[in-house]
Amino acid sequence: MNRLAYTITAAIAVSLAGIPTIAAAAEINVYTTREPALIEPLLQAFTKSTGTKVNTIFLKDGLAERVAAEGASSPADILMAVDAGNLVDLVDKGVTQKVESPVLASAIPQQLRDADGHWFGLSMRARVLYAAKDLDLTAFNYEDLSDPKWKGKVCIRSGQHPYNTALIADYIAHYGAAETEKWLGGVRANLARKAGGGDRDAAKDILGGVCDIGIANSYYVGLMKSGKGGEDQVKWAEAIKVILPTFKNGGTQVNISGAAVAKHSPNKAEAVKLLEYLVSDEAQKIYAEANYEYPVKAGAAIDPIIASFGELKIDSKPLSEIVGNRKQASELVDKVGFDS
Ligand SMILES: [Fe+2]
């Protein structure tokens, strides 16, 4: 076939495949602290839909330090992390840049992204109540955790764990430090056992009759029920029901996994496209399937186990404010002797 015919045929083939007719295949570099198994299906789907190749560097920790050390010659385009605190840390270390995208602004609730456009929440987990299955309880407020009626009945991990300092920081955002100290002391007085272990231990100890209620992350219920953690964990999950607690004057406390565009991103336009892809219905569904997380985008598909908890009404306080209260939260944990 002559050259012109070949070009036309190629163009048709490309458009039939739904791949944009870009001159050369673009490439971007993602630095992430998220586990490869969770992120790879999303990045592969992005490559399939856009033709842009994604190179990934997985870092267990030290993401901000690594990018900062690479300086202006850093090949990083996208920085991904779990926990709003880690995203704020990237901004504080000066390794991110502002992104203005109407797609991101409309898909992601305001309290789950940086007001200055430096980071964006892409998936959520909620700090929920695990309750003994037969307990006569259908609704719960975080404030109730300090109610003396729960004396000797509450299980929770260390107050210093980031999952709990975020919850306590959210309490501070609602009520201030003095009220939070009183509440935390009340929760401490209700503990069935020393604060410690992991989130799944709350379910384990409910099954064992150690406690009636516990505070833990939403996705662990899916992980336990899946059987990936063994038969025992399936039994722990079967012993509990999940209630989505709310603040009396707000909603359920959530944290995020999210991303930012690197300050010296060599491929900013493609990087923004990846972020926008990650809030598409297709990608939000993959997030929800991979780790039993909540999509950030309203109306995106949720795993049936997670959906069975009821409708999630996320708290109104911005994650940036919660992150700012964390140091104070950690000090209160020590002050009331929460872990001792
Ligand atoms: Fe976790």
Side-chain angles (χ1 to χ4, degrees):
M1 125 177 51
N2 67 38
R3 194 189 169 90
L4 180 65
Y6 172 79
T7 308
I8 291 168
T9 311
I12 290 168
V14 164
S15 69
L16 281 177
I19 300 164
T21 49
I22 41 176
E27 271 186 40
I28 58 169
N29 300 308
V30 172
Y31 285 24
T32 174
T33 59
R34 294 220 78 185
E35 283 173 44
L38 301 181
I39 285 306
E40 269 160 5
L42 286 159
L43 302 179
Q44 282 163 7
F46 172 71
T47 300
K48 208 174 155 196
S49 97
T50 62
T52 300
K53 190 179 167 219
V54 184
N55 307 308
T56 329
I57 292 182
F58 293 106
L59 299 158
K60 229 180 150 56
D61 39 41
L63 174 61
E65 291 74 10
R66 160 102 180 232
V67 182
E70 287 173 351
S73 60
S74 174
D77 293 301
I78 291 273
L79 313 175
M80 290 181 125
V82 182
D83 192 305
N86 290 325
L87 293 162
V88 169
D89 190 40
L90 295 174
V91 180
D92 290 346
K93 292 219 164 63
V95 297
T96 60
Q97 64 171 292
K98 184 186 177 112
V99 169
E100 282 181 77
S101 158
V103 174
L104 295 173
S106 74
I108 307 168
Q110 206 167 8
Q111 64 269 52
L112 305 182
R113 52 187 161 85
D114 178 33
D116 297 326
H118 278 254
W119 54 264
F120 298 89
L122 299 169
S123 69
M124 289 188 293
R125 57 279 309 283
R127 203 88 185 118
V128 303
L129 189 83
Y130 293 0
K133 205 157 207 171
D134 53 3
L135 209 62
D136 183 19
L137 191 69
T138 52
F140 198 83
N141 294 124
Y142 294 111
E143 292 86 340
D144 299 340
L145 283 169
S146 65
D147 187 326
K149 85 174 203 189
W150 296 110
K151 197 167 178 61
K153 297 188 185 328
V154 179
C155 280
I156 194 164
R157 74 192 310 164
S158 162
Q160 293 294 4
H161 190 278
Y163 297 163
N164 282 335
T165 53
L167 174 61
I168 298 160
D170 201 356
Y171 206 100
I172 294 171
H174 282 276
Y175 296 107
E179 273 301 307
T180 303
E181 183 181 340
K182 267 192 253 170
W183 170 73
L184 199 58
V187 183
R188 165 74 180 81
N190 285 343
L191 295 182
R193 55 154 167 79
K194 195 171 157 14
D199 274 1
R200 288 177 239 220
D201 288 311
K204 180 189 178 190
D205 287 344
I206 286 170
L207 175 66
V210 177
C211 40
D212 283 354
I213 57 172
I215 290 286
N217 277 357
S218 48
Y219 56 84
Y220 286 117
V221 181
L223 291 172
M224 289 188 287
K225 284 197 171 166
S226 73
K228 284 177 198 160
E231 266 311 297
D232 282 349
Q233 292 195 10
V234 177
K235 287 181 194 135
W236 303 348
E238 281 169 356
I240 62 158
K241 61 183 172 187
V242 173
I243 296 173
L244 297 178
T246 58
F247 286 98
K248 282 179 179 162
N249 58 356
T252 301
Q253 194 255 325
V254 299
N255 207 329
I256 53 167
S257 83
V261 172
K263 183 174 183 187
H264 300 291
S265 165
N267 309 292
K268 184 178 179 183
E270 296 299 323
V272 173
K273 270 187 209 153
L274 174 57
L275 289 185
E276 291 177 344
Y277 172 76
L278 291 174
V279 296
S280 68
D281 288 334
E282 178 181 73
Q284 288 283 290
K285 185 167 178 276
I286 298 172
Y287 261 120
E289 283 168 352
N291 194 35
Y292 302 97
E293 291 179 81
Y294 284 98
V296 289
K297 189 183 190 182
I302 302 177
D303 181 273
I305 294 173
I306 304 303
S308 74
F309 304 161
E311 199 191 334
L312 175 70
K313 182 190 162 218
I314 60 175
D315 192 41
S316 52
K317 298 291 178 190
L319 287 177
S320 50
E321 183 184 347
I322 294 169
V323 169
N325 289 342
R326 269 193 167 172
K327 190 171 171 286
Q328 200 171 24
S330 168
E331 287 163 4
L332 289 182
V333 169
D334 282 344
K335 201 171 171 191
V336 306
F338 197 84
D339 289 352
S340 58

